[in-house]
Amino acid sequence: MLLSTTTPAAENPAALATSTTAGAGSLALTAGISAVMAVLATYTLLHHKQVFAWTKAMRRRDDDTATLAGPAQWISKLYEEQCGLAQKPCHTAEFKELARVTNMIKGIADHTAALRTELNHIVEQADDYLATALPDPGPATKISTSEHRHQLVRAMRQEAARTELERALITAEQKINTLRRG
């Protein structure tokens, strides 16, 4: 019979201890690597969640900015118009462009939920301002003192209405800036 040069592990206690330690070491190494991979996967998922939330917020902000661009443009145009009419008595013919821009704002007020209240307030103030228009002057005739005083009072009311419109415009612009900042 042939004699074997290798002895089974059961017959060699030193070999048995080495193989058990090596198996336990590789098991511990595998468990450690698995734990590190699990931690890395968790951090990766959390990072992706933050990135997706940031992207969603940026899209929402871009959509809001696009939605607010139209009203901001018309508010700016109305502000320019009322500034051009400041501190002078205005007649009905001079309010033509102001009335057109007011009608544009009135048209977009119902479609802009975020600014509906401010836009409706602007339209009310603009209508009040337009109602203060002085009658168109007729041929150059002499005006009585009482009629002159009456026109001065109307001109002062007109300027007060213009100031209220200006306040409403500034309030709406501030709200637009606040909404854009998010």
Side-chain angles (χ1 to χ4, degrees), residues 5-64:
T5 56
T6 59
T7 58
E11 294 174 11
N12 187 352
L16 180 62
T18 304
S19 68
T20 307
T21 308
S26 86
L27 182 63
L29 181 64
T30 303
I33 289 174
S34 298
V36 168
M37 292 302 288
V39 168
L40 287 175
T42 303
Y43 282 138
T44 302
L45 289 174
L46 290 175
H47 174 70
H48 285 311
K49 185 177 179 181
Q50 289 174 347
V51 169
F52 290 138
W54 178 81
T55 304
K56 187 176 179 180
M58 287 296 109
R59 279 193 191 137
R60 190 175 339 107
R61 185 178 292 168
D62 290 345
D63 291 344
D64 290 346

Side-chain angles (χ1 to χ4, degrees), residues 82 106 119 139:
Q82 67 86 28
K106 193 181 298 184
L119 294 176

Side-chain angles (χ1 to χ4, degrees), residues 61-73 112 114-115 175-180:
R61 185 178 292 168
D62 290 345
D63 291 344
D64 290 346
T65 300
T67 302
L68 298 174
Q73 176 187 4
T112 311
L115 292 173
K175 175 124 187 215
I176 288 172
N177 290 337
T178 301
L179 290 172
R180 283 182 176 166

Side-chain angles (χ1 to χ4, degrees), residues 48-169:
H48 285 311
K49 185 177 179 181
Q50 289 174 347
V51 169
F52 290 138
W54 178 81
T55 304
K56 187 176 179 180
M58 287 296 109
R59 279 193 191 137
R60 190 175 339 107
R61 185 178 292 168
D62 290 345
D63 291 344
D64 290 346
T65 300
T67 302
L68 298 174
Q73 176 187 4
W74 290 111
I75 288 171
S76 175
K77 181 71 174 162
L78 188 62
Y79 186 80
E80 281 181 34
E81 287 299 319
Q82 67 86 28
C83 282
L85 301 174
Q87 298 181 354
K88 69 176 187 174
C90 298
H91 302 281
T92 307
E94 294 171 301
F95 283 142
K96 183 179 177 182
E97 184 63 19
L98 190 93
R100 185 185 75 78
V101 176
T102 300
N103 286 333
M104 292 298 296
I105 291 175
K106 193 181 298 184
I108 63 172
D110 292 334
H111 305 293
T112 311
L115 292 173
R116 184 174 294 134
T117 305
E118 287 78 11
L119 294 176
N120 287 332
H121 186 64
I122 287 172
V123 169
E124 290 172 13
Q125 294 300 322
D127 287 343
D128 290 347
Y129 182 45
L130 291 170
T132 63
L134 297 174
D136 289 328
T141 59
K142 197 167 194 166
I143 301 174
S144 68
T145 306
S146 65
E147 180 62 27
H148 182 68
R149 283 186 183 145
H150 181 65
Q151 285 185 0
L152 284 175
V153 169
R154 288 184 72 183
M156 287 188 285
R157 285 186 187 143
Q158 187 179 77
E159 185 61 21
R162 189 199 63 78
T163 304
E164 290 301 316
L165 173 60
E166 183 178 14
R167 285 187 188 134
L169 291 168

Side-chain angles (χ1 to χ4, degrees), residues 1-5 11:
M1 177 157 153
L2 293 171
L3 287 175
S4 136
T5 56
E11 294 174 11

